[in-house]
Amino acid sequence: MTLEPFANEPVLELRRAAQRAKLTAALDELVLPLRVPVWIGEDRRDDEQLVSTDPGEPERVVALAASATPAEAAAAVAAARGAFNAWSATPAADRAAALLRAAAWMRERRRALAALALRECAKPWTDADADVCEAIDFLEFYARGALRLADGAPLLQVPGERNELRYVPRGVCAVIAPWNFPLAIPMGMTAAALATGNTVVLKPAEQAPGCGLMVVEALRAGGVPAGAISLLPGGGDAGAALAAHPDVATIAFTGSAAVGSELLRDAAAVQPGARDLKRVIAEMGGKNCVIVDADADLDDAIPAIVASAFGYAGQKCSAASRVLVSEQIHDVLLERLAGAVACLTVGPAADFASDVPPLIERSAQQRVRSYAAQAAAEGAVVSARQDDVPAAGWYCAAVIAASLPSRSALLRDEIFGPLLCVEAVRDIDEACDLVDALPVALTGALFSRNPRTVAHVASRSPVGNLYVNRATTGAMVGRQPFGGNRLSGTGTKAGGSDYLLQFVQPQVLSENTLRHGLVIS
Amino acid sequence: MHRPALEREIQLVGHELAKAFPSRRGHPIRALDERAMDLAARDEELRAALFRFVDVVPACRSAGDLATHLIGFLDEVHDQPPPLSAAMRMACSGAGRAALGAASAASVRHMAHRFIVGSDPRAALPTLARLWHDAIATSVDLLGEATVTAVEADRYAARCAAALDVLAPAYAAMDPHPLLERDSVGVLPRANLSVKVSALTPLLRAEAPARGRDDAAPRLRELLRRADALGAHLHIDMESLDSREAVLELVLELLAEPEFERGPSAGIVLQAYLRDSPETLDRVLDWARATPRPGVALVVRLVKGAYWDHEVVEARSHGWSVPVFEEKAACDRNFETLTERLMQARPAVRVAIASHNLRSVSHAIACNRLQGGSDADVELQVLRGLGDDLGHALATLGLRVRAYCPVGDLVAGMAYLVRRLLENTANESFLHDQATGVPLELLLAPPAT
């Protein structure tokens, strides 16, 4: 099987009015609510225990989902285990072909899928479209990667023996996915597991069961056998029951640090009946800093910082949360940044003119508002115009907090909302010290035009993804493999060439080819 | 149009123009360090290093800081010509760094002054007056930092208004120049200001053109009123494709408002490097025919377009089809087709041809003559600093010339300067050809098909 080299799925050219009109039409045609079953093999159980709503208009129901019970979690794992022998024995090329057909299925429906992500998770159009593209990218990228992996790795060969190293799938993989990239992230983790011959039970975020259903629909439409991919909508308990099952060999998780740490801890204990040491692939939060040196071009830096901090209302794990700016230009930067934030529009995701969409749910809105209040109490605050913030929906004004005391929790906690802290630093090394003092290390950015500063900061930075003179968000499959270091994750890189190694184990076959002094081969 | 006759006329005009060029006291890039620019044009790494240096000069706070940046960039050039190795050695000591920094900053400033006529409109007046005396009208462009806040948009609008206030009386006091002041449509304002919509609003969004359009509208409306009151011309520049929709809608909507039916004189820009520029022209001409503005017909400035690299990189990085012609000849052909269409569309529009390509300019002049147009009915525009010789040659031949004159401080001018330098050292650049002595026959040959 030879394939064209991987290329990223092009995002829609939304500067063209005709393209925008097609998206708006797709949103109008979206039939809601979706019904999302617990879908184990061929068995579907529909129910309405779990309801996802439009964060911008909470009375609009997007999906009615069944909520999986612990028994169903066990049944899903059993189905996955049952399907494992056949799927793992399926030639890699056939598995890759199924993934590519799933990609084609998504491509055909890309506008409808973007519209669903927009409704269910308040992804603005550009982000929603990019999410669909990234899901397609993961399918295409891992399909190719798995084909390469199927060749195994070369070993030293000497006369009289034949040595082979091949990568075999680990078994049943539990995928526990977040809502903020509701198609791309679950598809990425699932596609990596399937491409390498594992079978999967997917537990989508309880805020995004509708998008989770689309992931499974795509894969099944592409020809992945029913038992090899099951859907387990539900809350945290369903995820916990799934992850704890002794027959789960791998847990692929993206989400909060609290849940991730729990998964890691529980997975370490070998349960009675278990046949695998569980492997956990975890992508968790960050406290992402943008360093701005005195020689930065603020004309470039300010729009990039605004996009990093306030795009999708700051709800990307890669979003910028702190700006560490050289004291020589601190005042100018703060004034211009504040002015830029003051003219942001907080509004519905469906409106192309919105800059800051609503947050995912009420509790997120409350959390961010309480941080904003704390910022106002501790330091100086500038924000987008409050009177423009829509009353219904989980909206929050964009906020910049400056002059915070160094002990402030705002400088440590992952706020996951449209709130950005700005701090003055004496020099680049002080900025590097502050970054180094954080226990998390996901993304970071540096604005400087001195190549030596760039090299220096790169050598000191602990983050998983360091961006120079650009935004912290928008990692592309195959171009910026993504994942954090330290407590931000297990150090794996989604969309990178070595990601698939997490889902396999190497196996060595060494055969004696000498028989009565004769080499038989 | 009869092609052989047109080609004959183009050759005639082209040869006349070439003869009128100031003798080799230098080609248009004479003021730059020719050797450096020549090296830069041949060596991509060096070109990148020099441009990155020019770009960061205004943000450097001391000579030592400048030298540190320069050396940082040159570090990345693998094949260092001898003068650069000398500079690198110089940077080993503090005193050497200071000297190197001061010298390099001085040369960048010197280079910038070729393109930028003054730090503000008042400071630019002596140069503008000299040009007028040499039979060259101007359009003043106020350089500035990017607009990211409402305050910055207001400040830019205020600078534009102040510039009109300075330019109009200053130009009124100059001697009459009939060629520059009237065409067959009517009076041509002397004072002429080019404005950028991206500076009039912080809200230009490629996927939401209405937002920037609506935010810029009140500021542009005020400027139109001011220009009208002062009898000045206001030209709205075109920038990257991301903002074209907003700019076009904004200008066409405002100029259609009843209060602007009889003034001011105003114009837009058509970028010939865009593959869909013919459709944009359809739209502009439909508007112009449906919106008569007696005596102040819309001026359409035809340019190749100054954001070629940006458009190609942006499209490629997103996987979009490239919106600009990637072959020079295709772009040149389109330029000529659009020139002819614009000329035929008169008097619904006034035509300005802005090019340094001898063939394109000769083609426009020839076309106009063959259509029986008076030379006054086509304006030829050049860029200050790059098209000076061409501008003077055109003026010598009694053609109507306008020089686009950027005004502003060094910080503000860097983005502009870098764009012009890119244009100047591009291998397919006409100026580069001309400077390296490509024969006239080739320069005037029709674009290959």
Side-chain angles (χ1 to χ4, degrees):
Chain A
M1 182 180 212
T2 41
L3 297 170
E4 292 283 303
F6 172 78
N8 298 106
E9 183 68 18
V11 295
L12 294 173
E13 198 174 352
L14 295 182
R15 60 185 173 185
R16 310 257 181 207
Q19 293 286 1
R20 298 195 294 274
K22 281 191 205 166
L23 279 183
T24 306
L27 188 62
D28 291 341
E29 287 162 17
L30 194 64
V31 180
L32 298 178
L34 288 182
R35 299 193 70 88
V36 181
V38 168
W39 195 7
I40 300 167
E42 305 287 358
D43 299 332
R44 300 176 62 124
R45 178 175 68 84
D46 279 298
D47 212 327
E48 303 183 357
Q49 295 141 323
L50 195 65
V51 179
S52 79
T53 57
D54 180 343
E57 295 173 59
E59 67 282 7
R60 186 203 307 273
V61 174
V62 178
L64 294 167
S67 186
T69 62
E72 283 171 323
V77 173
R81 196 168 161 190
F84 178 72
N85 284 348
W87 181 244
S88 61
T90 302
D94 294 350
R95 296 195 303 253
L99 263 55
L100 296 179
R101 287 191 297 270
W105 187 92
M106 294 193 87
R107 213 174 270 122
E108 277 166 33
R109 293 160 181 77
R110 61 180 296 169
R111 292 180 180 80
L113 293 170
L116 177 63
L118 183 148
R119 277 282 180 249
E120 193 164 48
C121 300
K123 282 281 222 189
W125 278 123
T126 47
D127 288 312
D129 176 51
D131 199 45
V132 178
C133 290
E134 194 178 0
I136 293 171
D137 281 353
F138 279 133
L139 287 163
E140 295 271 348
F141 188 80
Y142 293 144
R144 286 166 174 76
L147 279 177
R148 272 194 305 277
L149 211 57
D151 293 339
L155 294 174
L156 198 62
Q157 308 289 346
V158 298
E161 65 185 39
R162 183 163 54 227
N163 301 320
E164 196 185 320
L165 186 152
R166 57 193 184 189
Y167 294 103
V168 298
R170 294 177 48 81
V172 176
C173 178
V175 172
I176 301 176
W179 48 265
N180 62 340
F181 292 84
L183 297 162
I185 293 183
M187 183 60 95
M189 295 189 288
T190 303
L194 288 172
T196 42
N198 301 276
T199 51
V200 175
V201 180
L202 167 63
K203 208 293 278 182
E206 59 182 289
Q207 297 88 344
C211 289
L213 173 63
M214 291 302 119
V215 169
V216 175
E217 293 253 21
L219 290 164
R220 292 207 180 182
V224 176
I229 172 68
S230 292
L231 178 68
L232 210 62
D237 46 343
L242 172 63
H245 197 286
D247 284 345
V248 167
T250 313
I251 301 167
F253 168 78
T254 304
S256 72
V259 174
S261 314
E262 252 173 63
L263 286 172
L264 279 156
R265 188 197 59 209
D266 295 348
V270 180
Q271 295 161 53
R275 299 182 309 171
D276 295 282
L277 295 172
K278 282 185 187 178
R279 176 178 291 170
V280 181
I281 301 148
E283 282 299 334
M284 298 174 284
K287 187 68 183 174
N288 307 316
C289 301
V290 178
I291 301 175
V292 186
D293 200 6
D295 69 344
D297 186 342
L298 293 186
D299 285 358
D300 290 340
I302 289 167
I305 292 169
V306 169
S308 301
F310 303 107
Y312 192 38
Q315 301 173 109
K316 300 179 186 179
C317 23
S318 55
S321 182
R322 295 169 72 179
V323 174
L324 308 172
V325 53
S326 160
E327 60 189 10
Q328 296 179 67
I329 57 164
H330 170 267
D331 293 354
V332 180
L333 177 118
L334 185 58
E335 185 191 342
R336 297 189 74 191
L337 194 55
V341 167
C343 60
L344 293 178
T345 296
V346 180
D351 186 345
F352 284 98
S354 293
D355 296 304
V356 184
L359 298 182
I360 187 70
E361 58 199 351
R362 185 197 299 273
S363 62
Q365 182 192 42
Q366 286 166 344
R367 183 186 70 239
V368 175
R369 285 187 173 168
S370 110
Y371 275 117
Q374 191 183 339
E378 291 180 349
V381 155
V382 205
S383 58
R385 288 173 47 201
Q386 297 282 351
D387 52 340
D388 280 357
V389 176
W394 316 127
Y395 293 94
C396 267
V399 174
I400 288 186
S403 314
L404 293 168
S406 59
R407 59 177 160 69
S408 173
L410 283 123
L411 303 180
R412 291 193 315 273
D413 296 358
E414 185 179 40
I415 296 167
F416 224 62
L419 196 163
L420 178 68
C421 304
V422 177
E423 302 150 74
V425 292
R426 273 188 322 281
D427 54 25
I428 282 293
D429 274 309
E430 188 188 359
C432 290
D433 291 343
L434 289 171
V435 172
D436 198 28
L438 290 166
V440 284
L442 185 44
T443 70
L446 166 68
F447 284 85
S448 167
R449 284 181 280 188
N450 187 337
R452 291 179 176 181
T453 306
V454 173
H456 180 62
V457 172
S459 73
R460 287 207 53 190
S461 178
V463 302
N465 286 60
L466 178 65
Y467 296 102
V468 179
N469 294 324
R470 55 154 285 180
T472 59
T473 50
M476 300 284 286
V477 171
R479 284 153 71 178
Q480 293 91 24
F482 186 83
N485 297 337
R486 295 192 173 170
L487 295 185
S488 288
T490 47
T492 50
K493 285 276 187 264
S497 57
D498 48 4
Y499 187 68
L500 293 181
L501 291 173
Q502 308 299 321
F503 294 84
V504 292
Q505 46 205 1
Q507 185 175 47
V508 171
L509 183 71
S510 186
E511 186 180 351
N512 177 3
T513 57
L514 203 61
R515 185 75 186 146
H516 300 305
L518 189 71
V519 176
I520 47 156
S521 60
Chain B
M1 205 172 302
H2 187 243
R3 288 287 141 189
L6 178 62
E7 282 304 324
R8 274 197 303 278
E9 186 69 21
I10 291 171
Q11 294 297 321
L12 210 66
V13 173
H15 279 84
E16 260 182 80
L17 262 176
K19 257 185 279 168
F21 259 70
S23 60
R24 293 267 318 166
R25 64 185 160 90
H27 52 71
I29 54 175
R30 64 182 176 272
L32 314 180
D33 179 340
E34 286 186 35
R35 268 194 324 160
M37 293 315 284
D38 191 38
L39 284 170
R42 279 190 279 130
D43 180 338
E44 283 294 325
E45 282 182 352
L46 185 56
R47 185 169 178 242
L50 290 178
F51 287 176
R52 288 169 73 187
F53 178 64
V54 167
D55 176 63
V56 80
V57 165
C60 291
R61 287 171 159 66
S62 66
D65 194 13
L66 276 163
T68 307
H69 278 90
L70 180 59
I71 294 309
F73 298 139
L74 293 179
D75 246 356
E76 300 186 347
V77 180
H78 288 100
D79 256 339
Q80 291 174 352
L84 293 191
S85 310
M88 300 291 280
R89 282 194 301 278
M90 208 171 155
C92 292
S93 76
R97 267 199 300 280
L100 179 65
S104 50
S107 40
V108 170
R109 223 168 276 126
H110 185 245
M111 192 154 69
H113 286 152
R114 290 286 307 159
F115 300 90
I116 301 171
V117 296
S119 56
D120 60 44
R122 198 165 296 284
L125 286 179
T127 307
L128 301 182
R130 202 172 330 117
L131 286 167
W132 181 261
H133 177 264
D134 292 347
I136 296 176
T138 61
S139 188
V140 168
D141 162 49
L142 300 178
L143 300 170
E145 289 182 352
T147 291
V148 300
T149 70
V151 171
E152 289 166 350
D154 289 338
R155 203 182 294 146
Y156 175 76
R159 282 173 63 214
C160 288
L164 288 170
D165 290 344
V166 168
L167 294 174
Y171 266 100
M174 293 181 198
D175 292 335
H177 235 314
L179 174 65
L180 302 181
E181 300 188 59
R182 177 167 283 281
D183 66 1
S184 59
V185 170
V187 172
L188 292 160
R190 290 179 171 193
N192 182 312
L193 182 71
S194 288
V195 300
K196 290 200 163 49
V197 176
S198 67
L200 282 173
T201 170
L203 300 179
L204 277 182
R205 305 278 191 273
E207 66 284 357
R211 184 129 179 254
R213 179 197 68 198
D214 295 348
D215 190 60
R219 296 187 185 97
L220 185 59
R221 195 179 284 115
E222 278 309 310
L223 286 176
L224 287 167
R225 286 177 186 148
R226 181 81 65 119
D228 196 23
L230 293 166
H233 173 90
L234 203 64
H235 214 97
I236 293 83
D237 282 348
M238 198 57 89
E239 301 171 67
S240 71
L241 181 57
D242 280 348
S243 61
R244 181 181 66 183
E245 197 60 28
V247 172
L248 206 55
E249 282 183 7
L250 170 68
V251 178
L252 299 184
E253 282 177 20
L254 284 193
L255 290 180
E257 290 178 0
E259 70 168 304
F260 300 125
E261 194 192 343
R262 290 177 184 278
S265 171
I268 57 154
V269 176
L270 183 65
Q271 295 160 314
Y273 65 12
L274 290 175
R275 292 175 190 277
D276 66 356
S277 50
E279 289 80 56
T280 304
L281 180 57
D282 290 341
R283 189 168 154 197
V284 169
L285 293 181
D286 287 348
W287 177 92
R289 291 182 180 118
T291 320
R293 302 180 73 232
V296 285
L298 183 74
V299 179
V300 180
R301 178 201 293 157
L302 180 64
V303 300
K304 181 183 117 224
Y307 301 81
W308 191 90
D309 293 88
H310 166 87
E311 301 295 1
V312 171
V313 169
E314 188 182 29
R316 292 234 174 97
S317 78
H318 287 111
W320 299 335
S321 65
V322 174
V324 293
F325 291 107
E326 291 184 85
E327 281 173 31
K328 183 179 178 299
C331 184
D332 288 347
R333 280 200 303 280
N334 189 46
F335 195 98
E336 294 190 3
T337 310
L338 295 174
T339 298
E340 291 173 26
R341 287 187 59 198
L342 277 167
M343 299 234 172
Q344 280 153 9
R346 294 174 301 184
V349 293
R350 282 168 152 168
V351 183
I353 303 297
S355 170
H356 296 156
N357 183 329
L358 198 61
R359 160 79 195 188
S360 303
V361 176
S362 304
H363 166 267
I365 296 165
C367 234
N368 181 46
R369 286 180 181 167
L370 287 191
Q371 281 187 18
S374 138
D375 279 349
D377 281 337
V378 55
E379 181 167 288
L380 302 160
Q381 295 196 1
V382 296
L383 291 171
R384 165 72 184 177
L386 279 179
D388 296 346
D389 288 352
L390 175 60
H392 281 105
L394 291 164
T396 306
L397 295 185
L399 293 152
R400 184 153 72 78
V401 189
R402 186 179 304 280
Y404 185 90
C405 295
V407 163
D409 67 19
L410 193 58
V411 178
M414 273 316 143
Y416 178 82
L417 186 56
V418 169
R419 218 162 47 237
R420 291 303 163 219
L421 290 176
L422 277 175
E423 196 170 309
N424 210 10
T425 52
N427 281 327
E428 290 210 315
S429 142
F430 168 78
L431 287 168
H432 184 261
D433 282 354
Q434 197 190 20
T436 49
V438 174
L440 192 57
E441 290 64 43
L442 286 180
L443 295 179
L444 286 176
T449 45

